[in-house]
Structures are given as C-alpha cells and as structure tokens.
Amino acid sequence: MNAMSDWSLVIHGGAGSIERHRLTEEQDSGARAGLTLALGVGSAILRDGGDALDAVEAAVRVLEEDTHFNAGRGAAFSSDGSIELDAAIMDGRTRAAGSVAGITATRSPVGLARRVMEASPHVLLSGDGAERFAREQGLATAEPGWFETTERRRQLDEMLARNVDAFDVDMKYGTVGAVARDRAGHLAAATSTGGVTGKRWGRIGDSPLIGAGTHADDRSSAVSCTGSGEFFIRIGVGHEIAARIRMLGEGPQIAADAVMAEVRALGGTGGVIVTGPHGEAIWSFTTPGMYRARATAAGVREVAVYGDE
C-alpha cells in the first residue's frame, strides 16, 4: 500500500481479541457495514477534492453513531456505570490540534474536538469545562442514556461479577479513528473512544493526547491508535512513528511496525493506522484482529476484521 496516491483514507474501529469464534454473525456483519459506511463518507469528500480534516472528522462521526464500536453511542462503561468519552483531531498542515476528555453529554466528541481546535485558544479541554464550551458553541447534546447499550452494560456487569477491580485488560472493545491525505497533499488524523470497560478515577487513555494516540504532520504522517492506552502514552506512539519517518527516512509501514514492536516489548497490545505524504495507506497491529478499512484514489478499497484477512 505504499504506491503514490493523490488521496487516501484509512479508518479503524479498534484492535483487540477480535477472533471469529468470539464474534457473532451479526457483530461481524454489523462492524463491516459500519466501516464500509464510514469509508464511503470519508472517501467521497476526498474524491471530490475536499480536505483531509473534513474527511477524518466525517468518517469518525459515522463510527461514533454506530453501536458496534466503542465511541459515542455504544461506548464502554466506566466501573461506576457512567460513560466518559475522549476524542482528538489534528491538522497536518499547521499541526493545529484539538481534543477533549471525560465528555458525558456532547453527541459527537470528535466534532467538539475540532471546535476546540478552531474556536478556542487551547488544545485539550476536559469534563465540565469542555461541556460548557460545547454548549457555548451550540453543539448537539444527548442524554446519558443515548450513549448506553445493553451489550456494553452486560460487559461491565460480567466483568465486575468476576472481580470488582477488573477492567478490560484484553482491550476487546476498541477506539475508532481515521487518517487521510487529500489531493492537496495535506494530512489529518482523528480518534474517538469510550476508553476501556471498567476504568476508574477519571482515567484518560492515549486517544485525546496529541502525539500519543493521535498525530498528524504533513512532513511525515498521520496516525490514529487503538489498544493499551497506557503503553501508547509512555511511548508517544503517534509522534514516534512520525519521527522515524522524518528523521530516519523509514517508510510508514516499517516505522509503524517498529513502534508497535516496541509497544509489545513493554507489554502492550493494539494497532495503528497511518498515511503519509505520498498517500500510503497502511496499518500495523499486534492483536488477533483489528476493525479496519482503507480506500485510495488508485482504486484500493478494503474492509477487514481478522488478522488473517
């Protein structure tokens, strides 16, 4: 996938213990349908000459509305039964970025992250302050019940029944994200998540942290991550991939594989999606599967779930 392409889009819906025997037929087909829809929405923007930034936001918004994924509606429950959402977006042209953490009422966390980037002097807003900003900006809200699904509640109840201090160590219900290169050669990345099932104390993972779970720089790459957030934070995965490409001259696939090997060596698991200045559209993951899809101007169109696809 390293051939030159004048636009490219890669999306993910999380990496983890995603195996054929673990997913029902409905879960498999539903996830593929969601990825296909998000890929189509983002690709249409790029095909028509639109911005990478608009494409990644639009693709992630689709996945936030889809209950098959752990972002927005269908997000994972914290240990206390609440839902706290995180998101980020970054523009590779200027390295402008916006992110939010601990969101509970804004319907599209990635939409709020973009507004933070464009309409505030800050990069990262959290909790009540972020929600106040969202209201001032007139963004759509939703009652807490709108984000909840019975399947995610069951997952929390099952986990707590085994161990009151448990959390989703297998990272089965992952983050969503998108990276793109547009026809003007600009890159962008966006990520959105409900975190991990059973998280406590207002835990924040890598997704809203610029340079860790989300990163874009026209000089090197656009990256969105999913997996064991604590390890991605410690390594600074998004920036590390970019640095290898820019400083060492590595291709996106080689850089991504090297950094994911580093994550694994520390004890973490997960995956990344990456695009580069030449329209490369790649992924790298160390888990049994990753919900993923990609499309390019060169005619590539692929949707996959399991590691052997």
Side-chain angles (χ1 to χ4, degrees):
M1 290 299 149
N2 290 326
M4 183 78 168
S5 182
D6 74 347
W7 66 260
S8 59
L9 175 68
V10 193
I11 64 176
H12 72 77
S17 50
I18 301 164
E19 300 170 276
R20 285 182 172 81
H21 70 274
R22 291 178 181 267
L23 299 187
T24 66
E25 186 175 330
E26 189 283 327
Q27 289 171 328
D28 180 298
S29 62
R32 290 178 193 272
L35 292 168
T36 299
L37 178 59
L39 192 69
V41 168
S43 296
I45 292 170
L46 296 168
R47 192 167 50 244
D48 292 341
D51 290 344
L53 200 63
D54 292 334
V56 296
E57 180 188 2
V60 169
R61 278 178 176 267
V62 169
L63 297 175
E64 285 179 336
E65 298 273 327
D66 192 319
T67 58
H68 291 93
F69 304 101
N70 173 19
R73 194 174 193 201
F77 280 89
S78 303
S79 63
D80 64 0
S82 66
I83 287 178
E84 299 168 311
L85 308 167
D86 308 330
I89 194 166
M90 189 167 185
D91 185 345
R93 286 173 292 195
T94 60
R95 283 174 280 165
S99 61
V100 292
I103 298 305
T104 58
T106 301
R107 180 160 172 160
S108 174
V110 75
L112 176 54
R114 182 162 183 183
R115 200 62 65 89
V116 170
M117 179 180 75
E118 295 180 339
S120 89
H122 305 303
V123 170
L124 173 59
L125 300 183
S126 67
D128 292 341
E131 295 290 6
R132 285 200 306 275
F133 176 72
R135 290 194 295 273
E136 290 171 8
Q137 292 294 310
L139 299 186
T141 60
E143 293 299 317
W146 183 84
F147 298 105
E148 299 177 4
T149 63
T150 55
E151 173 63 10
R152 294 289 188 242
R153 175 69 74 174
R154 182 198 64 75
Q155 290 161 359
L156 175 66
D157 292 344
E158 184 180 275
M159 195 173 291
L160 295 181
R162 292 198 306 268
N163 177 359
V164 72
D165 293 327
F167 71 100
D168 178 22
V169 293
D170 293 329
M171 306 291 167
K172 292 185 289 294
Y173 319 112
T175 299
V176 308
V179 296
R181 179 201 191 269
D182 61 32
R183 284 184 160 165
H186 299 306
L187 307 179
T191 314
S192 185
T193 189
V196 294
T197 300
K199 66 184 180 183
R200 291 181 288 165
W201 311 303
R203 177 263 189 190
I204 297 167
D206 63 304
S207 298
L209 302 186
I210 301 305
T214 307
H215 190 258
D217 183 343
D218 277 6
R219 300 172 300 174
S220 54
S221 59
V223 182
S224 177
C225 304
T226 175
S228 313
E230 282 68 16
F231 294 91
F232 283 72
I233 293 169
R234 289 161 56 192
I235 291 171
V237 167
H239 188 272
E240 191 81 354
I241 291 171
R244 294 183 74 103
I245 293 170
R246 194 159 65 90
M247 303 299 188
L248 298 180
E250 293 180 345
Q253 188 72 64
I254 292 171
D257 289 347
V259 177
M260 287 310 301
E262 189 177 350
V263 171
R264 185 172 54 217
L266 286 186
T269 62
V272 295
I273 53 173
V274 186
T275 190
H278 302 299
E280 302 94 337
I282 69 99
W283 45 62
S284 179
F285 55 99
T286 61
T287 49
M290 180 165 78
Y291 298 115
R292 60 202 189 276
R294 56 190 169 194
T296 72
V300 171
R301 188 173 179 86
E302 182 179 357
V303 177
V305 173
Y306 309 110
D308 59 3
E309 292 184 80

